[in-house]
Amino acid sequence: MVKLIDGWQVARTLNAQTQVRVARLRKQAIVPGLAVVLVGHDQASERYVRMKEKKAQSLGIYSVLKQLPADSTQEDVLQTVTALNQDPRITAILVQAPLPPQLDATQVFGAIDPAKDVDGFHPENVGKLYLNLPGHYPVACTPRGIMTLLAANQVPLQGANVVVLGKSAIVGKPLAALLLNAGATVAVLHSQTKERRSFLSAADVVISAVGQAHLLTDADFQPHTIVIDVGQNLDENGRLVGDVDYSEAAVNIEQITPVPGGVGPMTIATLMQQTVEMSEWSK
Amino acid sequence: MVKLIDGWQVARTLNAQTQVRVARLRKQAIVPGLAVVLVGHDQASERYVRMKEKKAQSLGIYSVLKQLPADSTQEDVLQTVTALNQDPRITAILVQAPLPPQLDATQVFGAIDPAKDVDGFHPENVGKLYLNLPGHYPVACTPRGIMTLLAANQVPLQGANVVVLGKSAIVGKPLAALLLNAGATVAVLHSQTKERRSFLSAADVVISAVGQAHLLTDADFQPHTIVIDVGQNLDENGRLVGDVDYSEAAVNIEQITPVPGGVGPMTIATLMQQTVEMSEWSK
């Protein structure tokens, strides 16, 4: 029997903790403030942004949406970011990706004050993570959420063989850094990898962040593998599925995050966690 | 027959190119300036620093050594770094590691102006490397030197299985980033790794940066493996050796960097290369 790793449950617990922390700050007249910058009308982005706003408000976080037209100039976006950097009510800034093609995303993300960079995308925060520096700094929310999920399910990482599929700057690479910092042996596989078998056959934990339905099946894993599925794909029938096909009869997968209901809820819960932490850190 | 990868030869070529670039800058009245900060009297550090100074001078680089006493305070070191940040003759600053235990190394390295951080240790530069950002920024010299050595020996990296042994912030981790950026499949192994066999038996390239004599022998590799040995160890007889034992009769190692004469010369040559590049970038 495959055990499902329940992301909703861990996210609920985390959100409850965040709510308590917000209340504690509010007693000291400190209100965490999250600003989301949305450029254009990408449907998925609009949906995510609404979810983030709603969740923030429900936890007592002050929330602002800065919506800019799709044809905004670099100047427009940078001015918005600069104004938010200087706004004392805002402690956390998130620029929703992807940005329209006329914009230089690197420059936009780099313009966010590192102390308000709630997504952990600023080079300075990325560098601190890779250097495993002590002290407080934000980390990309999906990878951090995955680490919380693994910890909540008592998955041992020290000395474990972990395979990460995907080398994006948002998931694969920061995840590899977090796992190395936790003492795991880490192999990062991606679209140019010539064969996955030798890696998967030695893996204790496999984290797939490729975004391709039917990429892996139970037969690809060794017995007792723990699988974290970061994929969010629409299959042939328009159903939301992850990267991994499995059934209750799977013999190799020991635990897996379902899609939906696994990693997804953890990303937003971690964003909220980090929003309140950034308020605490800047006290 | 094992082919030796000649680091001296590649370093000589690189140094000759650097010398030409320095001469070109000097014609425009620009002189690259390297400042080395040495705190205390660690013997190995003093030797390295002298080698760096000598090499810089021989290439036409203006070179300054700031020697501080072993009992320097954090304040003393930060003041020295700040003065060098502001000194227009200095385009590249290197604080020689390790620092005496009373000093906060993280704060010292973080205090170097990222535009003068010739060792590529500042979080902002580390982050740019991991994000694979476009534009110019310095990268840790030993990993970058290894990439130059691999390129000079036409070692294909795209899709290759590369095993990195060691996860230090100076070698293992930035090397993993450079290799991923170059399209390699990368596994990072370290002291907590439970078994190396499954990784080594699938590796096209193995880079060992552990610092342990006799760690690996020819029998650990699969046929046609290319080995980069970053180890600098003294063996039982006080002889400088790498991490890998091999003889001319090795059957699996196809190419290897000797110790000494492999990676070592590339580190200083890359430091010189980066010193002159930082002058060019800031023109």
Side-chain angles (χ1 to χ4, degrees), chain B residues 195-213:
Chain B
E195 57 93 27
R196 296 191 283 258
R197 196 183 36 76
S198 70
F199 297 98
L200 293 178
S201 66
D204 303 302
V205 179
V206 176
I207 306 177
S208 183
V210 174
Q212 185 183 321

Side-chain angles (χ1 to χ4, degrees), chain B residues 4-162:
Chain B
L4 294 183
I5 296 176
D6 187 346
W8 282 118
Q9 192 197 310
V10 180
R12 260 195 307 273
T13 306
L14 184 55
N15 283 331
Q17 291 164 350
T18 301
Q19 196 163 24
V20 169
R21 294 165 87 170
V22 174
R24 202 180 296 144
L25 286 169
R26 280 182 171 264
K27 275 195 193 146
Q28 304 166 59
I30 298 167
V31 182
L34 173 66
V36 176
V37 178
L38 176 64
V39 187
H41 298 281
D42 181 83
Q43 262 197 318
S45 292
E46 287 193 331
R47 197 173 60 245
Y48 289 137
V49 162
R50 262 198 307 273
M51 282 165 70
K52 289 168 185 174
E53 265 202 295
K54 215 177 119 187
K55 180 54 75 182
Q57 284 160 3
S58 79
L59 298 177
I61 294 169
Y62 170 66
S63 165
V64 171
L65 173 61
K66 296 280 175 193
Q67 198 147 9
L68 299 179
D71 61 354
S72 298
T73 64
Q74 187 74 7
E75 205 60 5
D76 297 334
V77 180
L78 290 178
Q79 267 175 19
T80 302
V81 169
T82 305
L84 292 169
N85 282 343
Q86 290 161 354
D87 186 339
R89 291 166 306 175
I90 299 303
T91 49
I93 302 168
L94 181 163
V95 176
Q96 182 67 43
L99 290 171
Q102 79 274 14
L103 297 175
D104 176 348
T106 298
Q107 197 192 23
V108 170
F109 290 118
I112 299 173
D113 178 350
K116 295 189 176 187
D117 167 40
V118 71
D119 258 339
F121 293 165
H122 190 285
E124 196 175 304
N125 290 320
V126 173
K128 287 178 173 177
L129 166 64
Y130 280 90
L131 293 165
N132 200 13
L133 292 193
H136 295 308
Y137 43 88
V139 171
C141 293
T142 299
R144 188 174 172 196
I146 291 170
M147 296 302 282
T148 305
L149 205 51
L150 290 168
N153 284 272
Q154 281 94 39
V155 176
L157 291 175
Q158 197 158 317
N161 286 351
V162 182

Side-chain angles (χ1 to χ4, degrees), chain A residues 106 121-134 158-161 167 169 173 176-177 179-190 192-195 198-199 202 204, chain B residues 106 121-134 158-161 167 169 173 176-177 179-190 192-195 198-199 202 204:
Chain A
T106 298
F121 292 165
H122 190 286
E124 194 175 305
N125 291 321
V126 173
K128 286 178 173 176
L129 165 64
Y130 281 90
L131 293 165
N132 199 15
L133 293 193
Q158 197 157 317
N161 285 351
K167 60 166 185 171
K173 279 181 176 175
L179 291 163
L180 279 175
N181 294 348
T185 298
V186 180
V188 181
L189 280 51
H190 47 81
Q192 291 159 299
T193 294
K194 54 186 173 183
E195 57 93 28
S198 70
F199 297 100
D204 302 302
Chain B
T106 298
F121 293 165
H122 190 285
E124 196 175 304
N125 290 320
V126 173
K128 287 178 173 177
L129 166 64
Y130 280 90
L131 293 165
N132 200 13
L133 292 193
Q158 197 158 317
N161 286 351
K167 59 166 185 171
K173 279 182 176 174
L179 291 163
L180 279 175
N181 294 348
T185 299
V186 180
V188 181
L189 281 52
H190 47 80
Q192 289 159 301
T193 294
K194 53 186 171 182
E195 57 93 27
S198 70
F199 297 98
D204 303 302

